[in-house]
Amino acid sequence: MSTIVFDKVWKEYGDQIVLEKISLTIASRAFVALVGPSGCGKTTFLKLLLGEEAPTQGTITMDGVPLVAEPGPDRGVVFQRYSVFPHLTVLGNVLLGKEFRSPVAARLFGAARRNAVDEAMALIAEVGLAGSETKYPAQLSGGMQQRLALAQALIMKPKVLLLDEPFGALDPGIRADIHVLMKRLWHETELTVVMVTHDMREAFTLGTRVIAFERPRDRPEERERYGSLLSRDIYIWPPRIAGEPSLFAPDRDDPAIPLGLSQDDPAPQGDNP
Amino acid sequence: MRWINTKPSPAVATLLMLAPFVLLVIAYGVGSAARLADNPSDKLLPALQTMVDAVNRLAFIPDPRTGELILWSDTAASLVRLFSALGISTLIALVFGMLVGMLPYVRALLAPFIATISMVPPLALLPILFIVLGLGETAKITLIVIGVAPAMIRDLALRVIELPKEQITKAETLGGSSWQIALRVVLPQILPRLITSLRLQMGPAWLFLIAAEAISADSGLGYRIFLVRRYLSMDVIFPYVAWITLLAVITSFALDRLRIVVFPWSNLGVR
């Protein structure tokens, strides 16, 4: 379980208010897609979740416990770039989280290492990188690097996976493939996912819930004193439920297939409609 | 075609690479021949044959007084000083570079201090070093370390700070402690830069070595050059300079190969 609650969270950098009064409950195993214009505080929101930044006011709790203001192994992350370590091979990258179990050497030996390698190899195969174990990230394409970043994060079995425009730099074909992978991982793993994206289609394809941030007052002289509010909170309908087959075609932009269901529109159901 | 788009073929590139060296030797030969034609006992630009004789004498015939092969004993003395100093500098740079780069407290404490120290002209400290540490090896090695280490520390600390924040965050989400992140994420990524930094500091290191040897030593390449200067022995000085240059070039090349062999990933981004 990993229910995340934002209670009246404000984030300011000096005089600049970035986020205002964000109250939000993210259910366990939800897949929240976060959209909004550039500079609306999406990445700041993710940094709060990650623990890189602390809220100026308000609290963030996970399962009732306040979030530690430091990134930790309960929250995995995949960034758009620089998510993998260039000096480690594919296997080394995935293994690293396991190797951090050894406090001083930060390396595993003998049976412990063999077990970790087996687990890592399985995960590498899972994300479709079998056969590339000995390659370095610079030898992989952008899509493969992001697959590697997913495997690297998932080996820690995090409760929450945070994605910061992870597929933004990929071309559409590769992106569609990795969406399929992402969906499968979300269904099969005990994960709550929060994804920042610029791509509306991606948000509605993958998410169970789409949240938009927006600055209601965006005149230049107002920009500093007013932050972004949570302006839209849309639950995808019919609901997608982790681990259960979708009632629906996975991609709403696909050719329509008659499904015998009456309502196709996303119906607003959130706390702040 | 624009000039910026014309590229030499590999063969032409090799020829172009060799041309300046050949031209230098030819220019020297012409100049030397002209001076020697005027005055056969001219010492300023000795003939190539004279230099070959000098090298032969220094490298292969034991010195009648000490029984040593002078070129090799000089080289050994200089390289021991140079490499011990570079070894110490590398170690200092690695430890302090990582501490300053990774820990904000240490950065606040030491970064301005190191920046100031690196501005002190090391040669101005040489008299102090000779007075305090004596005329032996310690003073010479210390001079090189003082001259080289601060720049290397700053270079490495900058490289650590330049590592993408995302990488460090990612390592934290994988459960790494500060020590583990230093060991597995930061250290391996700055070691290639350390080697490059060392290569760039070879020039200053030789400068400080020759300077220290010129003032006080009883062997070494710099000592020999400044010793034979009294007799205007250009036939020894020129080959010694060429030899020092060759040593520096070989070291630099070897270090770069070492980097590529040990850290193959560090050359992958370079096309």
Side-chain angles (χ1 to χ4, degrees):
Chain A
M1 291 301 286
S2 51
T3 308
I4 302 166
V5 180
F6 278 69
D7 187 20
K8 298 197 199 73
V9 169
W10 292 63
K11 181 65 194 175
E12 302 168 16
Y13 292 104
D15 274 348
Q16 169 92 49
I17 298 177
V18 181
L19 293 174
E20 274 190 22
K21 212 171 65 179
I22 305 290
S23 287
L24 179 69
T25 302
I26 299 175
S28 186
R29 299 218 62 189
F31 193 131
V32 177
L34 201 58
V35 297
S38 292
C40 72
K42 299 190 297 283
T43 300
T44 304
F45 180 83
L46 209 68
K47 280 185 174 172
L48 290 171
L49 260 178
L50 193 53
E52 267 190 334
E53 303 275 355
T56 315
Q57 288 176 42
T59 54
I60 310 171
T61 55
M62 180 149 78
D63 297 331
V65 184
L67 273 191
V68 186
E70 199 181 30
D74 54 341
R75 281 156 286 163
V77 66
V78 174
F79 296 105
Q80 183 171 7
R81 296 179 63 199
Y82 304 123
S83 269
V84 293
F85 301 108
H87 63 291
L88 295 173
T89 60
V90 168
L91 179 62
N93 264 292
V94 179
L95 216 49
L96 190 64
K98 287 274 167 196
E99 292 190 300
F100 280 155
R101 299 268 169 84
S102 138
V104 179
R107 282 179 192 279
L108 296 174
F109 302 97
R113 183 180 163 83
R114 276 195 299 280
N115 290 339
V117 168
D118 288 345
E119 195 178 328
M121 294 295 250
L123 202 50
I124 289 169
E126 176 89 348
V127 299
L129 287 177
S132 304
E133 288 86 356
T134 56
K135 286 190 179 154
Y136 287 99
Q139 294 166 307
L140 302 178
S141 67
M144 289 164 89
Q145 288 189 20
Q146 293 307 76
R147 285 166 184 265
L148 173 58
L150 281 172
Q152 186 183 36
L154 290 179
I155 201 157
M156 298 306 292
K157 302 201 165 53
K159 292 193 233 168
V160 182
L161 183 62
L162 306 170
L163 307 172
D164 191 359
E165 298 182 37
F167 316 128
L170 307 180
D171 68 60
I174 307 277
R175 201 186 301 191
D177 289 346
I178 209 164
H179 283 170
V180 174
L181 170 68
M182 194 58 239
K183 277 206 150 168
R184 203 180 72 228
L185 293 174
W186 172 66
H187 277 300
E188 293 171 358
T189 329
E190 281 285 328
L191 268 185
T192 306
V193 182
V194 179
M195 175 176 72
V196 166
T197 179
H198 273 300
D199 181 348
M200 285 294 171
R201 177 170 161 180
E202 182 171 83
F204 282 96
T205 307
L206 292 176
T208 58
R209 180 179 179 190
V210 177
I211 288 174
F213 283 173
E214 224 168 335
R215 286 171 183 277
R217 301 172 192 238
D218 202 23
R219 295 215 310 272
E221 71 274 18
E222 292 170 340
R223 211 166 280 159
E224 221 180 53
R225 295 308 301 158
Y226 296 92
S228 293
L229 297 172
L230 208 160
S231 65
R232 291 275 190 287
D233 188 349
I234 301 164
Y235 285 83
I236 302 296
W237 200 93
R240 297 190 174 113
I241 298 163
E244 288 179 24
S246 175
L247 288 169
F248 221 87
D251 188 334
R252 277 156 197 270
D253 287 351
D254 277 350
I257 305 161
L259 291 157
L261 289 163
S262 54
Q263 193 184 358
D264 192 25
D265 295 329
Q269 296 177 351
D271 315 334
N272 300 349
Chain B
M1 210 175 181
R2 289 181 188 83
W3 290 6
I4 52 172
N5 288 328
T6 54
K7 289 176 190 146
S9 69
V12 175
T14 314
L15 280 180
L16 287 175
M17 180 187 82
L18 292 174
F21 296 101
V22 174
L23 279 178
L24 182 66
V25 173
I26 291 175
Y28 181 87
V30 171
S32 165
R35 284 188 72 100
L36 289 171
D38 278 352
N39 171 14
S41 57
D42 176 65
K43 297 196 93 173
L44 280 190
L45 297 180
L48 290 177
Q49 187 54 46
T50 321
M51 287 197 269
V52 171
D53 290 343
V55 171
N56 197 31
R57 191 176 71 243
L58 293 168
F60 303 111
I61 300 169
D63 182 57
R65 192 167 57 82
T66 58
E68 283 177 338
L69 296 169
I70 288 175
L71 178 66
W72 305 120
S73 61
D74 281 346
T75 306
S78 286
L79 288 186
V80 166
R81 288 169 195 148
L82 186 76
F83 288 137
S84 13
L86 287 178
I88 295 169
S89 307
T90 306
L91 215 62
I92 294 177
L94 196 57
V95 172
F96 283 92
M98 283 187 63
L99 285 174
V100 171
M102 287 189 73
L103 303 177
Y105 268 96
V106 180
R107 195 179 315 150
L109 178 74
L110 288 182
F113 180 70
I114 293 169
T116 311
I117 291 292
S118 70
M119 293 298 157
V120 176
L123 285 178
L125 295 177
L126 189 54
I128 303 175
L129 294 179
F130 278 142
I131 293 167
V132 175
L133 300 171
L135 297 175
E137 302 299 311
T138 325
K140 299 184 191 71
I141 292 174
T142 313
L143 175 74
I144 302 176
V145 172
I146 291 177
V148 165
M152 288 178 73
I153 295 175
R154 296 180 80 189
D155 188 35
L156 280 192
L158 274 181
R159 183 72 188 88
V160 174
I161 294 167
E162 275 170 14
L163 285 179
K165 181 82 178 66
E166 287 91 338
Q167 276 194 22
I168 307 297
T169 304
K170 179 89 188 199
E172 289 178 65
T173 64
L174 297 178
S177 65
S178 299
W179 161 253
Q180 289 175 320
I181 292 173
L183 191 68
R184 293 300 312 274
V185 177
V186 177
L187 179 66
Q189 293 199 70
I190 62 164
L191 282 179
R193 179 63 210 183
L194 180 69
I195 294 181
T196 305
S197 182
L198 193 58
R199 279 177 63 210
L200 295 176
Q201 291 302 322
M202 289 299 286
W206 275 101
L207 166 72
F208 298 128
L209 176 71
I210 307 272
E213 287 182 343
I215 292 174
S216 150
D218 45 21
S219 65
L221 297 165
Y223 160 75
R224 191 69 51 193
I225 291 178
F226 277 80
L227 182 72
V228 301
R229 176 188 65 104
R230 297 173 196 165
Y231 317 112
L232 235 60
S233 289
M234 299 297 250
D235 56 337
V236 174
I237 296 178
F238 277 128
Y240 260 63
V241 172
W243 175 237
I244 291 172
T245 312
L246 185 67
L247 287 176
V249 169
I250 291 173
T251 321
S252 172
F253 179 78
L255 283 174
D256 204 39
R257 293 309 304 173
L258 179 76
R259 174 179 67 83
I260 293 169
V261 170
V262 182
F263 310 107
W265 55 270
S266 70
N267 233 35
L268 288 176
V270 186
R271 286 275 181 271

